[in-house]
Amino acid sequence: MEYDVKSYKAFEAYDFDNDETFQAGLLTISNNYDASQLLKAKVFYYSKIATPIDLSKYKIWKSSQTVDISTETTSSSEQIQNNGRYPQLSGAPYSASFAEVVGMIMRGEEIPGVCKIPDELNKEPPSRSAAKAPSKPWEG
C-alpha cells in the first residue's frame, strides 16, 4: 500500500489548536468528543483547506510508525536536560512524561499513582443481609 508520507507529516505538523476556524467548527460538533471524533474532524478540515487525507490509510500509516525506545540513544546534553531519567524521543509526538512512563514500563518498574489490583476474588465469606425484606403490596 502506498502512503502519502509528506502529506501525513504536514497534517501532523499543522497547528489545529491555534486555527480559529477549526476551533469554531469543532465547537459546533459537540463539547464531548473523543480522540477518534477529533481525528475525523481534523482530517475533514485539513482535507478541505490543504491536501486530501484518506483517514483509513492515515491510520494504517500512523500505526506503523512506532518508536523503539531500546534503540534510542541520548547524548550527554540530552541526559542533563532531562536529568537522565528517561530517553528523549526525537520526533515523537508525545510529551516527556509519556516517554518516562514508557521507559518505566520497559524497565519493569512500578508506575507511581497506578494502584495494583490483585487478580483474585475476595477470600472472605459473603455476609448475610441484615435488611428486612420489603412488604408486598397485598400484605399492606
Side-chain angles (χ1 to χ4, degrees), residues 4-16 46 51 53:
D4 188 3
V5 176
K6 185 177 178 183
S7 295
Y8 296 158
K9 288 186 177 186
F11 169 72
E12 289 183 342
Y14 187 79
D15 188 9
F16 289 98
Y46 190 81
T51 308
I53 302 283

Side-chain angles (χ1 to χ4, degrees), residues 37-117:
Q37 291 170 324
L38 180 61
L39 178 61
K40 286 179 187 177
K42 285 181 176 181
V43 167
F44 176 80
Y45 180 76
Y46 190 81
S47 294
K48 296 294 181 189
I49 65 161
T51 308
I53 302 283
D54 183 332
L55 180 61
S56 59
K57 286 183 180 179
Y58 172 75
K59 284 182 176 180
I60 294 169
W61 174 81
K62 184 69 177 171
S63 67
S64 70
Q65 302 300 307
T66 58
V67 177
D68 185 7
I69 292 179
S70 62
T71 61
E72 285 289 324
T73 58
T74 57
S75 67
S76 58
S77 63
E78 287 174 328
Q79 288 177 350
I80 291 169
Q81 187 176 17
N82 62 28
N83 297 328
R85 292 181 295 166
Y86 52 89
Q88 200 68 17
L89 300 177
S90 57
Y94 304 110
S95 66
S97 60
F98 176 79
E100 187 174 2
V101 170
V102 170
M104 291 175 77
I105 291 170
M106 293 187 76
R107 290 187 301 270
E109 298 174 6
E110 281 194 31
I111 300 170
V114 177
C115 62
K116 283 261 190 197
I117 299 174

Side-chain angles (χ1 to χ4, degrees), residues 119-134:
D119 195 21
E120 59 187 37
L121 297 174
N122 187 356
K123 294 179 182 176
E124 297 296 318
S127 62
R128 292 277 179 196
S129 175
K132 181 180 173 190

